[in-house]
Amino acid sequence: MTKMNFSEKLVFAYTCIVVIPLFILVITAMGVIRKSRVEELESSSEGLILENYETVKKNIETFSRFEQLVNSNGTLTLFFTIPERSNEEEIINTMISETTMLERTLETVPNIYGLRVFSDNPLVPERWPIFMNSSRTNLSALERWEYGYTADYLGNLGSLKFESVCTTRRMEKNHHEIGYIQIAMKTSDYFPFLFKTINSFNNDYVFREVLNPQTNKMELVPVTNKLIEQVQRPLPETLLNQFYGEVYHRVHGSPKTSGKLILHNKNDRRYSTWIRVPDMDIILLHTVASESISRELFWIQSGILAGLIITVFLLYFLVRYLTGRLMARVYVLIGGMKQVQKGKLEFPIPVTGNDEVTEAQKTFNKMIDQLKNQIEEIKHEQQLIADTEMKAMQNQINAHFLYNALETIKMQAVIAGEADVEESINVLGKLMHYCLRWRVHEVTLEQEVDYIRSYIYLLNIRNDYVISLETEIQSQYKDIVIAKMSLQPLVENAFFYAVEPLGKDAVIRVYTEEGPEYDRIWLCVRDFGPGIPKEKLEQIHAYLEDDLYERDSNGSIGLKNIQQRLTAFYGKDFRMKIDSHEGEGTLIKIPVPRNGGIVR
């Protein structure tokens, strides 16, 4: 593929300057149109779902009024409680009058499909289809709300056995259960919106919230029957799962009572609104398919994009023609850049004209001069670095001189037969040899522990009490590579702050510990001294949390230095832990990678 030259790129850039804002304008306009149409659909969906909600609430209130009517009938409830106190004539008159009253009330509310009152007392006579005995059917097994309910116990009264929404509730008198009230309404009357189709893009659904005893989770079960299926498209399982996730899986805090969402599956995209009816444990859902606006928006977008493409081509060729005549001096500037790329800084490019290109030529020549100056500065800095390295080498030579002198003294002790002095000098020599190798920043864990043993050995020579070093290093971690001088400063701190103030025999433990983290182990140093006061420990934690680089002012290696090296070698996630309680001692834990090595 042939690369574009500078003029072609410039033409392309000029074209984009015009085209991009135009393109953004078109995209924005399309977004506004789409947003407007979507808001219109959502508003329509929200209005319909509220209308459906009001219908259901009205039916609930109707059921509640009938329940209140029966429960507030003192004559009826008293009769159900103690029918044996009435003679046969009183029983007959009571049943006739109460039946007549309820039947007349039902005539005023034609939507109520059935009202049945069940008595627990077998002495109360039945008067169908209003009054019946509780033994007719297992009423206790019914839910408070039943959907698609058919009163099979009514025998051959087929006109009262259609599928219905039914509620069965207990009757009470003085806190004693005396029977049941069962109120029913045909499903088509209770949920009329399920039986009408506005158009092929609008759909209404009702879902029951059912607790699955096996999973102890709520599930959504659609309310449906053969008549509903004839006018309603079932919600695909994929969209149902999305809706289920919106209602339950994304709940934080109290469950949501309503919401909006977009259900989508391949080309099936529906703007949906839902609302919960807590009194019935159901959810109403209304969906509006996006197919109607999708077709309209597709043709609008296609026409605008076609016009935009034609405009882009016309602009490109026009700008190319005009720009080609203005590029001669620019190519001179490009030629100068190629010379600089080859390292030739001796020849500045000629400056001609009096326009923007002229300014570019002058700037280019100034840049060449600056490059020459910077090259000279870099040479000077490299010289300074070389001098510094030479001084460092001299310091290293002086340190080696001290080490060699110590070896000479050791040989004198051997000749004099001073075995203790020889051993002490030998241990001190090992310590110095370990410390002097500062160009080596990485050691094995076993080497660091050997150094600590030598350090404790010398401390025990100096003091009149014994410091016991207990080490528990798992064999698989002895050869892991750690930063040099990671543990020795912690042992030194344990001596100065926990052992020396007490001035008696003490124990310092050095061991490895595996934590829950899969990528690291912990190197632990524990003493059994007086511990750190709470206020002081908080100050230390705050000091270590500050990642600002800081040198140890006294020349020693402190906690801050160790944390800085942990951060530099392994990353900010590797932070030491300090646990201390007064009177119980102090535990310091350092994290290192489980597989060893320093992260670069």
Side-chain angles (χ1 to χ4, degrees):
M1 182 177 179
T2 305
K3 294 183 179 180
M4 292 191 298
N5 58 34
F6 182 76
S7 61
E8 290 174 336
K9 292 179 181 178
L10 189 60
V11 171
F12 180 76
Y14 286 155
T15 305
C16 289
I17 290 173
V18 177
V19 171
I20 290 178
L22 182 60
F23 182 78
I24 293 175
L25 180 62
V26 170
I27 295 300
T28 303
M30 289 306 306
V32 171
I33 294 173
R34 174 178 287 275
K35 182 179 179 181
S36 175
R37 295 290 291 119
V38 169
E39 289 178 350
E40 183 180 340
L41 288 179
E42 290 179 342
S43 177
S44 173
S45 176
E46 185 176 5
L48 289 172
I49 200 69
L50 290 176
E51 181 181 334
N52 297 341
Y53 178 76
E54 291 300 324
T55 300
V56 174
K57 290 292 289 184
K58 182 179 179 181
N59 291 333
I60 293 175
E61 292 172 0
T62 300
F63 277 33
S64 297
R65 284 197 297 269
F66 269 92
E67 179 187 8
Q68 186 178 5
L69 175 67
V70 175
N71 281 322
S72 62
N73 190 331
T75 302
L76 179 63
T77 55
L78 180 62
F79 176 69
F80 272 31
T81 305
I82 48 175
E84 60 274 6
R85 294 187 181 180
S86 302
N87 55 41
E88 183 176 354
E89 182 179 357
E90 289 176 340
I91 291 175
I92 294 173
N93 291 335
T94 299
M95 295 303 297
I96 292 175
S97 62
E98 294 299 328
T99 302
T100 303
M101 184 272 293
L102 292 178
E103 287 178 342
R104 289 177 179 176
T105 304
L106 286 173
E107 291 176 358
T108 64
V109 187
N111 284 347
I112 294 297
Y113 175 57
L115 174 62
R116 295 175 279 275
V117 182
F118 296 85
S119 173
D120 290 343
N121 196 322
L123 298 179
V124 176
E126 296 185 328
R127 186 171 179 83
W128 286 43
I130 301 295
F131 294 101
M132 283 170 276
N133 196 271
S134 300
S135 60
R136 281 286 177 183
T137 183
N138 187 8
L139 297 171
S140 62
L142 297 178
E143 299 288 341
R144 181 178 176 85
W145 290 95
E146 294 285 340
Y147 305 89
Y149 179 74
T150 56
D152 295 331
Y153 56 85
L154 292 177
N156 59 358
L157 294 179
S159 60
L160 297 178
K161 295 168 66 175
F162 289 105
E163 288 189 352
S164 61
V165 176
C166 174
T167 181
T168 304
R169 307 179 187 184
R170 264 296 190 179
M171 289 179 61
E172 292 184 355
K173 178 69 173 180
N174 297 327
H175 304 291
H176 293 287
E177 296 177 346
I178 60 175
Y180 292 87
I181 303 172
Q182 191 176 79
I183 309 169
M185 184 182 292
K186 290 182 180 179
T187 305
S188 57
D189 292 331
Y190 204 95
F191 301 119
F193 45 86
L194 294 181
F195 294 83
K196 64 181 179 180
T197 302
I198 301 175
N199 53 54
S200 60
F201 303 112
N202 290 266
N203 289 274
D204 289 290
Y205 302 92
V206 177
F207 295 97
R208 294 187 293 123
E209 295 185 285
V210 180
L211 180 64
N212 189 326
Q214 296 180 349
T215 62
N216 199 29
K217 294 182 178 180
M218 297 300 295
E219 294 182 353
L220 296 178
V221 178
V223 174
T224 184
N225 57 33
K226 294 181 179 180
L227 294 177
I228 296 175
E229 292 173 355
Q230 292 177 4
V231 296
Q232 181 190 84
R233 292 190 301 173
L235 192 65
E237 184 176 355
T238 303
L239 302 186
L240 179 60
N241 291 336
Q242 293 178 25
F243 178 57
Y244 180 85
E246 170 70 18
V247 175
Y248 295 107
H249 295 173
R250 303 178 186 175
V251 172
H252 299 284
S254 301
K256 295 172 63 177
T257 58
S258 62
K260 297 179 181 179
L261 72 156
I262 300 176
L263 303 176
H264 54 84
N265 178 29
K266 296 181 179 179
N267 296 327
D268 189 359
R269 185 181 183 89
R270 306 188 190 186
Y271 298 95
S272 307
T273 307
W274 64 275
I275 189 169
R276 178 180 271 110
V277 185
D279 295 337
M280 298 183 65
D281 294 328
I282 62 173
I283 292 178
L284 310 181
L285 172 66
H286 181 79
T287 66
V288 182
S290 62
E291 297 177 21
S292 58
I293 64 170
S294 296
R295 295 194 191 100
E296 176 185 347
L297 292 175
F298 172 77
W299 289 111
I300 294 176
Q301 289 176 342
S302 298
I304 293 177
L305 290 177
L308 184 61
I309 292 172
I310 295 173
T311 302
V312 168
F313 276 102
L314 292 176
L315 282 174
Y316 177 80
F317 288 109
L318 178 61
V319 175
R320 181 177 181 179
Y321 170 75
L322 296 176
T323 306
R325 304 181 61 181
L326 304 175
M327 291 297 298
R329 288 183 298 136
V330 175
Y331 285 118
V332 175
L333 182 61
I334 294 174
M337 293 179 180
K338 290 181 178 179
Q339 293 298 319
V340 173
Q341 185 181 13
K342 295 177 181 179
K344 298 179 181 180
L345 305 178
E346 297 82 6
F347 307 102
I349 63 174
V351 178
T352 59
N354 188 23
D355 53 17
E356 290 80 359
V357 177
T358 304
E359 292 298 324
Q361 292 170 339
K362 292 179 181 179
T363 302
F364 179 77
N365 289 336
K366 290 180 181 179
M367 182 187 67
I368 293 177
D369 294 335
Q370 291 175 353
L371 284 175
K372 292 179 180 178
N373 294 333
Q374 290 178 354
I375 290 173
E376 291 299 324
E377 291 178 359
I378 292 172
K379 289 181 179 179
H380 181 65
E381 291 176 358
Q382 288 177 341
Q383 184 63 43
L384 291 176
I385 293 173
D387 293 342
T388 303
E389 290 182 347
M390 181 60 70
K391 292 178 182 179
M393 186 177 297
Q394 290 173 353
N395 292 335
Q396 185 74 6
I397 293 173
N398 293 335
H400 279 291
F401 174 76
L402 292 176
Y403 178 72
N404 292 332
L406 188 62
E407 285 294 316
T408 301
I409 297 172
K410 171 187 172 183
M411 293 304 300
Q412 291 175 343
V414 172
I415 294 173
E418 297 290 342
D420 292 340
V421 176
E422 175 193 353
E423 179 61 23
S424 299
I425 295 175
N426 189 44
V427 173
L428 180 59
K430 289 174 60 179
L431 292 179
M432 290 188 63
H433 182 71
Y434 188 86
C435 294
L436 291 175
R437 297 172 64 239
W438 274 107
R439 287 185 178 271
V440 178
H441 300 290
E442 306 171 17
V443 296
T444 65
L445 177 56
E446 188 172 17
Q447 289 174 330
E448 182 81 0
V449 173
D450 285 342
Y451 175 72
I452 293 173
R453 291 193 182 98
S454 300
Y455 176 75
I456 295 296
Y457 175 84
L458 290 180
L459 290 179
N460 284 328
I461 293 175
R462 183 183 112 181
N463 301 311
D464 57 356
Y465 51 85
V466 177
I467 303 172
S468 300
L469 178 67
E470 296 182 357
T471 59
E472 298 178 15
I473 308 299
Q474 300 181 37
S475 59
Q476 66 266 32
Y477 299 132
K478 288 184 178 181
D479 294 329
I480 68 170
V481 178
I482 64 172
K484 187 177 181 181
M485 300 297 282
S486 294
L487 295 178
Q488 190 276 340
L490 303 182
V491 175
E492 184 175 348
N493 284 348
F495 169 71
F496 280 113
Y497 297 111
V499 177
E500 191 173 38
L502 300 178
K504 60 182 181 180
D505 293 353
V507 175
I508 298 176
R509 292 189 61 209
V510 178
Y511 59 94
T512 57
E513 182 180 280
E514 294 183 346
E517 303 87 351
Y518 70 92
D519 62 337
R520 66 188 68 179
I521 62 169
W522 296 86
L523 310 182
C524 306
V525 176
R526 177 172 179 77
D527 64 66
F528 300 91
I532 304 174
K534 183 178 180 180
E535 295 78 7
K536 181 64 176 177
L537 184 61
E538 292 176 353
Q539 294 176 4
I540 294 174
H541 282 149
Y543 177 63
L544 295 178
E545 285 295 326
D546 184 5
D547 290 329
L548 183 65
Y549 178 76
E550 181 178 333
R551 294 180 60 88
D552 291 293
S553 58
N554 59 2
S556 63
I557 301 174
L559 297 179
K560 185 75 167 184
N561 180 278
I562 295 174
Q563 183 56 64
Q564 288 172 349
R565 287 191 290 148
L566 285 174
T567 302
F569 292 159
Y570 309 133
K572 292 186 177 181
D573 292 338
F574 284 75
R575 309 197 71 85
M576 71 168 63
K577 295 181 180 179
I578 303 177
D579 185 17
S580 181
H581 301 280
E582 293 190 62
E584 299 181 8
T586 302
L587 170 63
I588 302 180
K589 302 165 68 175
I590 296 178
V592 297
R594 185 181 293 268
N595 57 355
I598 292 178
V599 180
R600 297 297 185 185

